[in-house]
Amino acid sequence: MIEVRNVSKTYANGTKGLDQINLTIEKGEFVAIVGLSGAGKSTLLRSINRLHDISEGEILINGQSITKAKGKRLRMIRRDIGMIFQSFNLVKRSSVLRNVLSGRVGYHSTLRTILGKFPSQDVDLAFAALDRVNIVEKAYSRADELSGGQQQRVAIARVLAQEAKIILADEPVASLDPLTTKQVMDDLKRINMELDITTIVNLHFIDLAREYATRIIGLRAGEVVFDGPVSEATDER
Ligand code: ADP
Ligand code: ADP
């Protein structure tokens, strides 16, 4: 489903974010990427959905090269990939419903999108997504009236409305308290299991990785230093 082949990323200032990474991630896996700040976790996720171009190598999504894709083809590949960020990235002054509907944007003509018009099937889909993360009652609230945990669940609902097959979550719980962290991780895990959505989560804490992931990939200085099932990730470092 996701193949990372010999990928290196060197930033404009010469910093090496990733150094010759090779990974294969199968459909339905729940993978935690762990490593210290600066290890390359974020660079890896940003490379997978091509938020930035890589310097070397190639990344395939369902057999299609996202590295080489352009225009419509690139948009089609990206439609399958949903992103979740530490800072939620919602449109703060918009309603929760509108934020979730924005996951449908890639499915409609630009004009329709600019006008903010969505077919009723999309609205149904958005409500179903909100229901899945137990936050339907907030549909008409302004996004910035919600707590951090609720905002992150809206971001998850947006990815569900997008009908993404892959979720890339970059430190999704880094700004949340322990209780909310558990709720958000539980949601991600449940969605992974119920909908068979391939999930890659960057995490600061190995404990969370152990609790939720089926596979842990450890990065250090842009290189893979550990890759295996949680049961083998025993060395507490
Ligand atoms: P350093 O201590 O120099 O930062 P490490 O090799 O200890 O580097 O680890 C780099 C990252 O990879 C760490 O964040 C750690 O969580 C992860 N890691 C290293 N070894 C293991 C292991 N055996 N099991 C799970 N994760 C590991
Ligand atoms: P992590 O997500 O594990 O904290 P990052 O992927 O953000 O690590 O960073 C990996 C390395 O790349 C670090 O040395 C970081 O300073 C560097 N880096 C990240 N983004 C940029 C950038 N836009 N320009 C230059 N260097 C960057």
Side-chain angles (χ1 to χ4, degrees), residues 13-57:
N13 65 3
T15 307
K16 209 150 203 187
L18 294 176
D19 193 2
Q20 299 280 329
I21 300 280
N22 284 286
L23 294 168
T24 302
I25 294 170
E26 304 294 346
K27 180 166 171 57
E29 278 197 82
F30 194 112
V31 180
I33 312 277
V34 299
L36 299 175
S37 181
K41 304 183 294 296
S42 182
T43 304
L44 178 59
L45 289 197
R46 295 170 67 83
S47 298
I48 291 174
N49 79 339
R50 211 173 137 188
L51 281 183
H52 59 204
D53 284 327
I54 52 179
S55 317
E56 271 177 64

